[in-house]
């Protein structure tokens, strides 16, 4: 008996199959019915919709009694045009095999209406809900779209290491990687932990970004991108931060600020359009259940030009807002790192469209960003989105060896392990640029979900790594 996925039966032209016997397998969403007929809504994860199985309650009395929400079935039956509205076809059961029961006394997913908080507590089962099914299918589509976007444009997928010895970026936020005995680590004569005796012969940690190695790729292959797990031990319990998230980091030789921001805009629009074109059913569901303006918001991003806004100009707008009586929690003046409330004011109130902010004060940005002639700003870019705030952070990289080294020394960055990075500027240095997109921030935007813990299958956050 040929097994069909439910998506195929509901979405393809199956007129030739009508009247024949087919097999479907999946999990029971609901069972209802009475004396003359029983209905089972079956879902196999291939699509948000269920197929309706119609069963004779007398013939299937025994098995029907054991079928409850969450049970797994294999059903063989005649495919017929549906009597009821809602879907084109349904299955008239001829044989039902109960693969696995789901005890209704203990199975935690009953019908509807569970809070996201409760679902996080049953993270191993929440994937079986409609909402998480929709989000996870869209996650796959977005990942596929990302690879397609870069492949079509001649970028190479470049694998940067997860274990790194460079602690120059956000050292305080790194997860250590070590095989030393934590109870009794070897020590140097002055009492410090002797990392030389550790597995790699030096201090190592999980990567907070693949960029520095990505630059090695770009300065040899031209255009590369990374797409992999990223780890940050920042103790920020916000709805936008994870300790383990996925980041996409393209890096391009010969790109300047204009070509960089153009790529950022083209990339995000491509992904949002992809979601609209390829995830219509899941988006419709999320639009109905999670956020009513979701589809409208996605369409508006695809259709508008993003604003290019110098930081200095942004501060002026925010200062004017304050002068006009607008209250922010955090103060605004030239030189501050913008808080989420400031970013959202610019995006949601002032411009009412995505903003690419450029030319930040060098003090609030990383050492590798290209310095402007004014001596005060660097060519950093943040793409700011409605609801999300920062979705992309990028920059033109400083290609001058001398300027880069001066900045490193000014900041006192430990570069002893970074000689290989500086070699990109010593030999055949070139203008280049790149950015990082947090995959889960993108997922927040395209799904309308409110919390970043709910757009990744197994979230890692402070005090939480259960599943
Ligand atoms: P934020 O100010 O929001 O913490 P950041 O300035 O630390 O961001 P970058 O270092 O520029 O971010 O990283 C690039 C992108 O990675 C960000 O634009 C964001 O989309 C994403 N990102 C950064 N930190 C996290 C995190 N902890 N969880 C999920 N995504 C993140
Ligand atoms: Mn951060």
């Amino acid at each position: 008996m040929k097994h069909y996925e439910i998506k195929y039966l509901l979405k393809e032209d199956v007129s030739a199959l009508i009247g024949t016997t087919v097999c479907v397998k999946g999990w029971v969403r609901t069972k209802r019915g009475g004396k003359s007929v029983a209905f089972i809504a079956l879902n196999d994860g291939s699509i948000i919709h269920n197929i309706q199985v119609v069963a004779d309650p007398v013939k299937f009395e025994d098995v029907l009694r054991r079928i409850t929400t969450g049970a797994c079935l294999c059903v063989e039956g005649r495919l017929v045009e549906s009597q009821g509205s809602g879907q084109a076809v349904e299955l008239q059961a001829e044989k039902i095999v109960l693969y696995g029961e789901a005890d209704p006394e203990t199975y935690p997913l009953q019908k509807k209406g569970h809070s996201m908080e409760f679902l996080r507590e049953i993270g191993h089962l929440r994937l079986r809900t409609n909402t998480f099914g929709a989000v996870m299918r869209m996650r796959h589509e977005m990942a596929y779209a990302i690879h397609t976007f870069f492949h079509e444009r001649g970028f190479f997928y470049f694998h940067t290491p997860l274990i790194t010895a460079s602690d120059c970026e956000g050292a305080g936020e790194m997860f250590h990687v070590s095989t030393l005995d934590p109870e009794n680590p070897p020590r140097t004569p002055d009492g410090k932990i002797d990392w030389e005796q550790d597995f790699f012969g030096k201090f190592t940690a999980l990567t907070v970004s693949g960029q520095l190695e990505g630059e090695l790729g770009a300065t040899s292959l031209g255009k590369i991108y990374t797409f992999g797990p990223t780890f940050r031990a920042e103790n920020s319990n916000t709805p936008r931060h994870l300790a383990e998230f996925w980041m996409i980091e393209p890096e391009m030789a010969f790109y300047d600020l204009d070509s960089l921001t153009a790529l950022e805009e083209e990339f995000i629009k491509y992904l949002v359009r992809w979601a609209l074109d390829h995830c219509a059913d899941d988006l419709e569901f999320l639009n109905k259940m999670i956020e009513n303006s979701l589809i409208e918001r996605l369409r508006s991003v695809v259709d508008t030009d993003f604003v290019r806004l110098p930081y200095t100009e942004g501060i002026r707008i925010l200062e004017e807002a304050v002068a006009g009586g607008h209250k922010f929690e955090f103060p605004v003046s030239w030189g501050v790192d913008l808080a989420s409330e400031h970013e959202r004011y610019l995006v949601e109130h002032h411009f009412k469209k995505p903003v690419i902010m450029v030319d930040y004060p060098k003090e609030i940005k990383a050492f590798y960003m290209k310095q402007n002639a004014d001596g005060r700003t660097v060519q950093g870019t943040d793409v700011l989105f409605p609801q999300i705030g920062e979705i992309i952070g990028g920059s033109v990289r400083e290609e001058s060896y001398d300027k880069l080294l001066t900045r490193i020394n000014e900041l006192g960055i430990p570069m002893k392990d970074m000689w290989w990075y500086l070699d990109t500027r010593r030999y055949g240095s070139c203008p280049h640029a790149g950015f990082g997109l947090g995959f889960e921030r993108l997922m927040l935007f395209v799904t309308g979900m409110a919390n970043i813990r709910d757009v990744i299958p197994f979230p890692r956050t402070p005090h939480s790594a259960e599943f």
Side-chain angles (χ1 to χ4, degrees):
M1 184 63 48
K2 187 157 160 51
H3 169 208
Y4 288 92
E5 288 194 340
I6 292 169
K7 180 180 180 182
Y8 183 87
L9 296 179
L10 297 185
K11 285 287 168 182
E12 301 297 319
D13 176 7
V14 290
S15 44
L17 288 175
I18 296 290
T20 69
T21 302
V22 300
C23 168
V24 297
K25 306 180 185 199
W27 293 269
V28 175
R29 285 289 200 257
T30 56
K31 183 189 75 173
R32 62 192 172 82
K35 294 218 156 51
S36 61
V37 65
F39 298 103
I40 301 166
L42 206 63
N43 187 282
D44 66 1
S46 61
I47 186 172
I48 186 97
H49 304 298
N50 309 320
I51 196 161
Q52 174 155 283
V53 175
V54 186
D56 179 339
V58 178
K59 178 175 173 197
F60 292 106
E61 189 184 354
D62 287 346
V63 72
L64 277 173
R65 201 178 310 117
R66 292 156 59 213
I67 289 174
T68 53
T69 295
C72 186
L73 308 182
C74 168
V75 182
E76 292 176 14
R78 232 161 61 88
L79 193 70
V80 297
E81 274 165 32
S82 184
Q83 312 300 314
S85 62
Q87 52 186 258
V89 295
E90 61 189 30
L91 210 62
Q92 287 176 344
E94 288 164 358
K95 182 178 164 193
I96 300 177
V97 178
L98 181 54
Y99 281 153
E101 294 180 40
D103 181 356
E105 297 294 313
T106 56
Y107 186 62
L109 287 174
Q110 299 301 335
K111 298 246 167 108
K112 289 190 184 108
H114 298 303
S115 71
M116 291 297 152
E117 289 76 15
F118 171 73
L119 291 174
R120 266 173 235 144
E121 288 168 22
I122 51 163
H124 59 310
L125 295 173
R126 69 174 184 170
L127 300 166
R128 297 186 185 188
T129 62
N130 284 331
T131 298
F132 283 89
V135 170
M136 295 311 145
R137 277 186 297 274
M138 285 189 69
R139 225 184 125 94
H140 164 79
E141 279 292 341
M142 288 296 101
Y144 186 71
I146 286 162
H147 287 298
T148 307
F149 176 87
F150 287 122
H151 183 73
E152 283 174 350
R153 285 159 186 75
F155 286 66
F156 298 106
Y157 184 22
F158 187 69
H159 297 97
T160 50
L162 298 192
I163 299 174
T164 169
S166 56
D167 57 357
C168 67
E169 263 208 290
E173 299 183 349
M174 298 183 105
F175 290 100
H176 302 178
V177 173
S178 173
T179 54
L180 294 180
D181 178 2
E183 303 283 338
N184 187 23
R187 304 223 174 237
T188 57
D190 58 358
K192 298 210 172 87
I193 292 177
D194 186 4
W195 298 111
E196 276 185 27
Q197 294 190 46
D198 203 351
F199 187 89
F200 295 105
K202 54 170 64 172
F203 176 89
T204 51
L206 295 177
T207 185
V208 295
S209 161
Q211 179 201 319
L212 302 186
E213 291 91 349
E215 288 186 46
L216 303 182
T219 53
S220 53
L221 296 162
K223 291 181 298 192
I224 62 94
Y225 70 104
T226 72
F227 187 176
T230 308
F231 307 87
R232 294 193 186 175
E234 47 193 356
N235 204 352
S236 43
N237 251 315
T238 81
R240 299 176 305 115
H241 289 88
L242 291 164
E244 177 183 291
F245 62 101
W246 288 66
M247 185 142 66
I248 300 101
E249 294 182 279
E251 190 73 35
M252 300 75 65
F254 318 123
Y255 270 50
D256 62 10
L257 191 63
D258 287 340
S259 41
L260 172 67
T261 55
L263 184 75
E264 290 172 343
E265 180 168 352
E266 186 193 4
F267 181 49
I268 299 245
K269 284 182 169 168
Y270 181 94
L271 297 178
V272 172
R273 193 176 298 117
W274 187 289
L276 287 165
D277 290 347
H278 294 84
C279 309
D281 287 4
D282 289 325
L283 277 179
E284 252 167 56
F285 174 83
L286 294 166
N287 196 76
K288 199 167 95 204
M289 305 300 289
I290 303 291
E291 194 207 319
N292 295 327
S293 54
L294 173 61
I295 292 176
E296 187 191 310
R297 185 160 55 75
L298 296 185
R299 288 215 180 100
S300 79
V301 164
V302 170
D303 293 337
T304 38
D305 292 332
F306 295 7
V307 177
R308 305 290 190 279
L309 179 70
Y311 170 91
T312 303
E313 176 68 11
I315 291 292
R316 199 186 56 72
I317 294 168
L318 292 167
E319 282 176 338
E320 266 174 22
V322 172
H326 193 90
K327 297 257 180 297
F328 291 114
E329 190 184 338
F330 297 99
V332 178
S333 64
W334 199 95
V336 299
D337 204 354
L338 293 186
S340 183
E341 55 172 347
H342 305 136
E343 297 174 344
R344 292 184 62 168
Y345 179 88
L346 292 170
V347 173
E348 291 166 26
H349 293 263
H350 191 82
F351 290 106
K352 299 194 168 60
K353 45 173 133 169
V355 169
I356 307 185
M357 194 175 262
V358 298
D359 295 331
Y360 283 83
K362 65 178 180 189
E363 278 72 27
I364 59 171
K365 288 290 179 188
F367 71 94
Y368 49 70
M369 295 193 183
K370 185 176 172 68
Q371 298 162 30
N372 280 319
D374 63 11
R376 310 207 295 164
T377 60
V378 291
Q379 295 184 10
T381 71
D382 280 4
V383 181
L384 309 177
F385 255 43
Q387 247 95 4
I388 313 292
E390 178 187 336
I391 190 164
I392 281 181
S395 72
V396 181
R397 318 306 188 189
E398 180 56 67
E399 82 252 29
S400 152
Y401 180 81
D402 290 336
K403 284 189 190 165
L404 189 61
L405 199 62
T406 305
R407 190 77 189 122
I408 284 167
N409 290 332
E410 273 171 19
L411 293 171
I413 294 169
M415 289 298 283
K416 62 177 179 355
D417 296 321
M418 298 297 299
W419 57 272
W420 51 267
Y421 180 70
L422 287 168
D423 269 5
T424 55
R425 275 64 166 177
R426 281 177 68 190
Y427 307 117
S429 187
C430 73
H432 63 290
F435 66 83
L437 166 73
F439 188 49
E440 286 75 19
R441 299 261 175 103
L442 170 76
M443 291 310 304
L444 281 175
F445 187 73
V446 296
T447 59
M449 300 293 282
N451 195 309
I452 199 163
R453 292 165 179 77
D454 302 327
V455 293
I456 187 166
F458 308 104
R460 297 290 176 260
T461 51
H463 297 287
S464 166
E466 180 72 11
F467 308 102

mmCIF file of all heavy atoms in Angstrom, residues 277-295:
data_model
loop_
_atom_site.group_PDB
_atom_site.id
_atom_site.type_symbol
_atom_site.label_atom_id
_atom_site.label_comp_id
_atom_site.label_asym_id
_atom_site.label_seq_id
_atom_site.Cartn_x
_atom_site.Cartn_y
_atom_site.Cartn_z
ATOM 1 N N ASP A 277 6.173 33.817 -0.422
ATOM 2 C CA ASP A 277 5.924 32.963 -1.591
ATOM 3 C C ASP A 277 5.852 31.476 -1.250
ATOM 4 O O ASP A 277 5.160 30.719 -1.936
ATOM 5 C CB ASP A 277 7.036 33.153 -2.636
ATOM 6 C CG ASP A 277 6.962 34.523 -3.294
ATOM 7 O OD1 ASP A 277 5.941 35.208 -3.123
ATOM 8 O OD2 ASP A 277 7.931 34.895 -3.995
ATOM 9 N N HIS A 278 6.603 31.043 -0.240
ATOM 10 C CA HIS A 278 6.748 29.601 -0.007
ATOM 11 C C HIS A 278 6.107 29.094 1.281
ATOM 12 O O HIS A 278 6.087 27.890 1.512
ATOM 13 C CB HIS A 278 8.232 29.208 0.002
ATOM 14 C CG HIS A 278 8.892 29.383 -1.331
ATOM 15 N ND1 HIS A 278 9.406 30.599 -1.745
ATOM 16 C CD2 HIS A 278 9.115 28.522 -2.343
ATOM 17 C CE1 HIS A 278 9.916 30.458 -2.954
ATOM 18 N NE2 HIS A 278 9.763 29.213 -3.345
ATOM 19 N N CYS A 279 5.655 29.998 2.132
ATOM 20 C CA CYS A 279 5.133 29.560 3.436
ATOM 21 C C CYS A 279 3.717 30.065 3.645
ATOM 22 O O CYS A 279 3.323 30.375 4.780
ATOM 23 C CB CYS A 279 6.042 30.066 4.559
ATOM 24 S SG CYS A 279 7.788 29.699 4.321
ATOM 25 N N ALA A 280 2.939 30.151 2.573
ATOM 26 C CA ALA A 280 1.633 30.807 2.658
ATOM 27 C C ALA A 280 0.728 30.172 3.711
ATOM 28 O O ALA A 280 0.105 30.879 4.515
ATOM 29 C CB ALA A 280 0.957 30.791 1.291
ATOM 30 N N ASP A 281 0.646 28.850 3.743
ATOM 31 C CA ASP A 281 -0.268 28.189 4.691
ATOM 32 C C ASP A 281 0.143 28.449 6.132
ATOM 33 O O ASP A 281 -0.703 28.742 6.991
ATOM 34 C CB ASP A 281 -0.295 26.675 4.443
ATOM 35 C CG ASP A 281 -1.052 26.332 3.165
ATOM 36 O OD1 ASP A 281 -1.479 27.272 2.460
ATOM 37 O OD2 ASP A 281 -1.209 25.134 2.877
ATOM 38 N N ASP A 282 1.445 28.301 6.398
ATOM 39 C CA ASP A 282 1.919 28.513 7.768
ATOM 40 C C ASP A 282 1.762 29.978 8.172
ATOM 41 O O ASP A 282 1.397 30.286 9.305
ATOM 42 C CB ASP A 282 3.375 28.062 7.902
ATOM 43 C CG ASP A 282 3.490 26.537 7.850
ATOM 44 O OD1 ASP A 282 2.575 25.861 8.357
ATOM 45 O OD2 ASP A 282 4.484 26.034 7.300
ATOM 46 N N LEU A 283 2.037 30.882 7.233
ATOM 47 C CA LEU A 283 1.875 32.311 7.534
ATOM 48 C C LEU A 283 0.421 32.658 7.822
ATOM 49 O O LEU A 283 0.128 33.443 8.728
ATOM 50 C CB LEU A 283 2.384 33.162 6.365
ATOM 51 C CG LEU A 283 3.891 33.424 6.325
ATOM 52 C CD1 LEU A 283 4.240 34.265 5.103
ATOM 53 C CD2 LEU A 283 4.352 34.120 7.603
ATOM 54 N N GLU A 284 -0.481 32.085 7.047
ATOM 55 C CA GLU A 284 -1.900 32.345 7.287
ATOM 56 C C GLU A 284 -2.295 31.902 8.681
ATOM 57 O O GLU A 284 -3.027 32.591 9.394
ATOM 58 C CB GLU A 284 -2.750 31.593 6.266
ATOM 59 C CG GLU A 284 -3.396 32.484 5.237
ATOM 60 C CD GLU A 284 -3.941 31.663 4.091
ATOM 61 O OE1 GLU A 284 -4.750 30.756 4.347
ATOM 62 O OE2 GLU A 284 -3.519 31.917 2.939
ATOM 63 N N PHE A 285 -1.795 30.736 9.067
ATOM 64 C CA PHE A 285 -2.085 30.231 10.414
ATOM 65 C C PHE A 285 -1.527 31.172 11.478
ATOM 66 O O PHE A 285 -2.231 31.573 12.407
ATOM 67 C CB PHE A 285 -1.490 28.823 10.589
ATOM 68 C CG PHE A 285 -1.621 28.310 11.996
ATOM 69 C CD1 PHE A 285 -2.800 27.723 12.420
ATOM 70 C CD2 PHE A 285 -0.577 28.453 12.895
ATOM 71 C CE1 PHE A 285 -2.933 27.266 13.734
ATOM 72 C CE2 PHE A 285 -0.701 28.005 14.206
ATOM 73 C CZ PHE A 285 -1.885 27.409 14.626
ATOM 74 N N LEU A 286 -0.261 31.561 11.326
ATOM 75 C CA LEU A 286 0.368 32.432 12.324
ATOM 76 C C LEU A 286 -0.298 33.802 12.345
ATOM 77 O O LEU A 286 -0.454 34.424 13.393
ATOM 78 C CB LEU A 286 1.870 32.560 12.044
ATOM 79 C CG LEU A 286 2.684 31.263 12.224
ATOM 80 C CD1 LEU A 286 4.078 31.400 11.612
ATOM 81 C CD2 LEU A 286 2.792 30.887 13.708
ATOM 82 N N ASN A 287 -0.699 34.268 11.168
ATOM 83 C CA ASN A 287 -1.378 35.552 11.071
ATOM 84 C C ASN A 287 -2.706 35.522 11.850
ATOM 85 O O ASN A 287 -3.093 36.503 12.475
ATOM 86 C CB ASN A 287 -1.643 35.881 9.602
ATOM 87 C CG ASN A 287 -1.992 37.334 9.393
ATOM 88 O OD1 ASN A 287 -1.123 38.191 9.437
ATOM 89 N ND2 ASN A 287 -3.268 37.626 9.177
ATOM 90 N N LYS A 288 -3.349 34.378 11.812
ATOM 91 C CA LYS A 288 -4.628 34.232 12.509
ATOM 92 C C LYS A 288 -4.427 34.041 14.016
ATOM 93 O O LYS A 288 -5.117 34.645 14.829
ATOM 94 C CB LYS A 288 -5.383 33.029 11.931
ATOM 95 C CG LYS A 288 -6.868 33.043 12.228
ATOM 96 C CD LYS A 288 -7.611 32.023 11.369
ATOM 97 C CE LYS A 288 -7.772 30.723 12.153
ATOM 98 N NZ LYS A 288 -7.958 29.532 11.357
ATOM 99 N N MET A 289 -3.450 33.219 14.380
ATOM 100 C CA MET A 289 -3.331 32.794 15.783
ATOM 101 C C MET A 289 -2.340 33.611 16.607
ATOM 102 O O MET A 289 -2.454 33.685 17.820
ATOM 103 C CB MET A 289 -2.899 31.317 15.853
ATOM 104 C CG MET A 289 -3.780 30.369 15.097
ATOM 105 S SD MET A 289 -5.491 30.388 15.681
ATOM 106 C CE MET A 289 -5.285 29.590 17.278
ATOM 107 N N ILE A 290 -1.305 34.151 15.968
ATOM 108 C CA ILE A 290 -0.211 34.769 16.730
ATOM 109 C C ILE A 290 -0.180 36.285 16.576
ATOM 110 O O ILE A 290 -0.117 37.020 17.538
ATOM 111 C CB ILE A 290 1.164 34.174 16.311
ATOM 112 C CG1 ILE A 290 1.171 32.648 16.512
ATOM 113 C CG2 ILE A 290 2.308 34.844 17.061
ATOM 114 C CD1 ILE A 290 1.141 32.199 17.963
ATOM 115 N N GLU A 291 -0.180 36.755 15.338
ATOM 116 C CA GLU A 291 -0.097 38.208 15.128
ATOM 117 C C GLU A 291 -0.891 38.609 13.897
ATOM 118 O O GLU A 291 -0.542 38.264 12.774
ATOM 119 C CB GLU A 291 1.377 38.627 14.951
ATOM 120 C CG GLU A 291 1.550 40.133 15.064
ATOM 121 C CD GLU A 291 2.752 40.647 14.290
ATOM 122 O OE1 GLU A 291 3.805 39.995 14.322
ATOM 123 O OE2 GLU A 291 2.599 41.701 13.645
ATOM 124 N N ASN A 292 -1.949 39.395 14.130
ATOM 125 C CA ASN A 292 -2.894 39.651 13.043
ATOM 126 C C ASN A 292 -2.363 40.541 11.924
ATOM 127 O O ASN A 292 -2.926 40.583 10.843
ATOM 128 C CB ASN A 292 -4.174 40.260 13.600
ATOM 129 C CG ASN A 292 -4.891 39.291 14.504
ATOM 130 O OD1 ASN A 292 -4.841 38.075 14.277
ATOM 131 N ND2 ASN A 292 -5.515 39.788 15.542
ATOM 132 N N SER A 293 -1.275 41.265 12.210
ATOM 133 C CA SER A 293 -0.754 42.137 11.162
ATOM 134 C C SER A 293 0.496 41.547 10.513
ATOM 135 O O SER A 293 1.222 42.229 9.793
ATOM 136 C CB SER A 293 -0.427 43.512 11.746
ATOM 137 O OG SER A 293 0.442 43.355 12.850
ATOM 138 N N LEU A 294 0.744 40.257 10.764
ATOM 139 C CA LEU A 294 1.999 39.650 10.298
ATOM 140 C C LEU A 294 2.195 39.759 8.779
ATOM 141 O O LEU A 294 3.191 40.296 8.303
ATOM 142 C CB LEU A 294 2.051 38.174 10.737
ATOM 143 C CG LEU A 294 3.214 37.339 10.200
ATOM 144 C CD1 LEU A 294 4.551 37.906 10.666
ATOM 145 C CD2 LEU A 294 3.087 35.882 10.644
ATOM 146 N N ILE A 295 1.247 39.271 8.018
ATOM 147 C CA ILE A 295 1.423 39.228 6.564
ATOM 148 C C ILE A 295 1.533 40.642 6.002
ATOM 149 O O ILE A 295 2.387 40.926 5.154
ATOM 150 C CB ILE A 295 0.275 38.430 5.906
ATOM 151 C CG1 ILE A 295 0.409 36.944 6.312
ATOM 152 C CG2 ILE A 295 0.296 38.583 4.394
ATOM 153 C CD1 ILE A 295 -0.705 36.047 5.822
#
